[in-house]
Amino acid sequence: RAYRLLLDDTITQSVLATFVGGFVYSLSAVILFHAKVYSEDAAVVVFAFTMVVVTLIVLAISRPSGLLTTGPAPKHLYLGGLLVAFYVLSVTIVAPKFGVGNAIFFVLIGQLIAAATIDHFGLLGVIQSSLTPKRILGIAVMAVGLYLARKPV
């Protein structure tokens, strides 16, 4: 029964997917760091493996007919793939030199600022949500919490 409820609740699916994704990404960085597989070459291997896993997940959760009927994407959407590649490779290369916690700290701060900016101006077609003093305070509290949780270099 819970499985059926989860299938129908897209908000819960989104929350769980992003939480698990962030958790697993941090966990993978720690595992690779302790296994001493970090190098320039390792970043490429991690990225390639990530692409295989993402492809398998998309194929597993997509309806076959939906994959076959999707038309060509607008060219500007391919920028998303380049940005994901940059993100994965940069964190993979920076984490062993700067610390996994510190790397994730700056990723989260960057995401907070980007999300607030995108929402405030309604960029990229998202619903516009003004940056109110309450939202600014919430972001500041999150940033302070992230700062306190990071490791000194």
Side-chain angles (χ1 to χ4, degrees):
R1 181 170 183 228
Y3 177 74
R4 277 279 177 226
L5 290 173
L6 183 59
L7 283 179
D8 294 337
D9 187 355
T10 58
I11 292 173
T12 302
Q13 290 172 10
S14 298
V15 169
L16 288 173
T18 50
F19 175 79
V20 170
F23 185 85
V24 168
Y25 186 75
S26 296
L27 185 62
S28 67
V30 170
I31 290 168
L32 291 172
F33 180 71
H34 285 294
K36 304 208 184 308
V37 295
Y38 273 119
S39 69
E40 303 293 323
D41 297 336
V44 174
V45 172
V46 169
F47 179 69
F49 182 73
T50 301
M51 294 308 298
V52 169
V53 171
V54 168
T55 301
L56 292 173
I57 290 171
V58 168
L59 291 173
I61 64 175
S62 297
R63 292 178 184 86
S65 61
L67 287 175
L68 297 176
T69 59
T70 302
K75 288 187 170 108
H76 69 277
L77 294 182
Y78 291 104
L79 177 62
L82 292 174
L83 295 175
V84 169
F86 174 78
Y87 167 72
V88 171
L89 292 173
S90 64
V91 172
T92 302
I93 291 168
V94 169
K97 299 172 187 168
F98 193 51
V100 173
N102 290 337
I104 299 300
F105 162 76
F106 282 102
V107 164
L108 293 174
I109 291 296
Q111 288 176 343
L112 284 173
I113 293 168
T117 303
I118 290 167
D119 285 350
H120 180 72
F121 294 105
L123 301 175
L124 307 169
V126 303
I127 297 171
Q128 193 271 336
S129 179
S130 296
L131 200 55
T132 63
K134 184 177 178 181
R135 285 189 73 204
I136 292 170
L137 178 63
I139 291 168
V141 167
M142 290 176 73
V144 167
L146 289 170
Y147 176 77
L148 293 174
R150 77 173 181 80
K151 300 178 210 170
V153 180

